[in-house]
Amino acid sequence: MAATITDLSRRGDQGFALPGLFGEVEGHLSTWITAANGQNPTQLLSVMTGPAGSPGFCGWTIKARLAALSGGQPVELISQWVANLSTGAVTTHAGLASGFSPGTALGGHGNLTGGVGTTSSLITLPPQPLPLGAVVASSLAAGQEFFCFAFSQHSFSNRQAVALLIAKDVVSAQWHLSLTDMAGVIATVAWNLARPQVLLSTAFRADFFSSGFPLMLVRPAQWVPLTPTIVFTTPLPPVQWWDPVALPADLALYNRTFTSLGYIKPADGSEWLQLGPSRLVVRLKDPTI
């Protein structure tokens, strides 16, 4: 069953449309979280701070409480995608809730340390209003739930982001939280059940050059885990095996990165929509053959 797609795009003559766009996404996100929590009562999602709760800033701080335990307590993950509407600076971060400090940082979103993230990308502020391509994609299929919001201020590889990705890891059945900044730098946090510890990522697993031939649609989409630095020692340490963190079936990878909201139709008759520079694509239509 293909994902539910909602087009929230804006014209380019409507001024700086980002706050209104994010407010509309918040409504879709709230409805989806309520339904997703109803289907997963042992691991709950919550919006700690949304677009309306941070004057001068725009974005989300989201928490996932997992069914997995660490030290006898539920594991909690947090992701942040927050834009400063005065400077245009975008802060993205994903990590454990133990690294989160509530407070005035980021307009009241608080400060998240540890994990992975960036603060180097910018949104485009007035007086140069631009059209905004924007899509919410979601699914409540049991075991394949996800919610994704992606937008683009340009048709090039910059000024695009997957601002929110909440997805069920189909290997562990636990939530993981992901996002990209405006240049497509990925931040992902998950929990490894086989080796109880946090799993972080900044990239998808790919066995091909990111923008070269052949053009490939790859399923399932998996994250590349960040592992500790390998230092030569004698004797050599044991090999560490990592369980993959895989995205639901309605999401895949496409190794062409310079466009957003591009349309892809493979030979099986399925149809896919590209969601920005991260190479993520979402299924619009199921295969026909």
Side-chain angles (χ1 to χ4, degrees):
M1 181 178 179
T4 298
I5 309 293
T6 305
D7 185 357
L8 301 177
S9 301
R10 302 296 203 267
R11 302 197 314 262
D13 60 349
Q14 296 174 295
F16 186 58
L18 203 64
L21 169 64
F22 275 48
E24 191 170 350
V25 173
E26 175 70 10
H28 291 279
L29 176 62
S30 177
T31 298
W32 181 86
I33 283 181
T34 298
N37 283 344
Q39 294 182 185
N40 299 273
T42 63
Q43 46 176 332
L44 301 178
L45 300 163
S46 60
V47 176
M48 301 175 69
T49 305
S54 50
F57 291 78
C58 197
W60 289 272
T61 299
I62 292 176
K63 180 167 68 175
R65 172 173 287 192
L66 307 185
L69 300 179
S70 177
Q73 297 298 316
V75 175
E76 292 185 332
L77 314 176
I78 288 181
S79 69
Q80 290 185 309
W81 195 106
V82 184
N84 185 321
L85 300 184
S86 296
T87 66
V90 174
T91 297
T92 67
H93 214 110
L96 288 173
S98 58
F100 179 73
S101 300
T104 59
L106 299 177
H109 278 267
N111 186 47
L112 182 61
T113 59
V116 290
T118 71
T119 56
S120 59
S121 60
L122 298 173
I123 57 174
T124 301
L125 298 171
Q128 298 89 20
L130 294 167
L132 277 172
V135 169
V136 164
S138 64
S139 173
L140 288 167
Q144 302 282 332
E145 297 99 326
F146 76 91
F147 182 95
C148 179
F149 164 50
F151 75 99
S152 173
Q153 289 185 305
H154 290 280
S155 60
F156 318 121
S157 60
N158 62 346
R159 301 297 191 269
Q160 301 179 24
V162 176
L164 288 174
L165 177 56
I166 305 168
K168 188 67 69 72
D169 170 14
V170 299
V171 176
S172 71
Q174 304 285 310
W175 292 117
H176 63 284
L177 305 176
S178 313
L179 43 79
T180 75
D181 67 10
M182 295 296 284
V185 178
I186 294 170
T188 300
V189 60
W191 187 255
N192 189 309
L193 294 179
R195 298 176 54 86
Q197 63 188 81
V198 66
L199 189 152
L200 305 169
S201 182
T202 58
F204 288 113
R205 177 179 177 179
D207 298 321
F208 49 83
F209 181 67
S210 63
S211 293
F213 293 98
L215 300 181
M216 299 171 63
L217 188 72
V218 179
R219 290 165 282 177
Q222 297 182 19
W223 299 105
V224 176
L226 293 180
T227 57
T229 302
I230 298 173
V231 178
F232 182 79
T233 60
T234 303
L236 291 173
V239 173
Q240 294 188 22
W241 294 100
W242 296 79
D243 285 349
V245 175
L247 291 168
D250 279 334
L251 297 168
L253 302 183
Y254 185 69
N255 64 320
R256 184 62 69 180
T257 62
F258 57 74
T259 188
S260 183
L261 309 183
Y263 173 82
I264 303 162
K265 187 171 183 177
D268 64 4
S270 61
E271 299 175 15
W272 301 77
L273 184 70
Q274 192 165 3
L275 296 175
S278 64
R279 296 182 294 179
L280 188 67
V281 295
V282 61
R283 183 160 54 188
L284 301 173
K285 183 179 178 181
D286 293 325
T288 57
I289 57 175

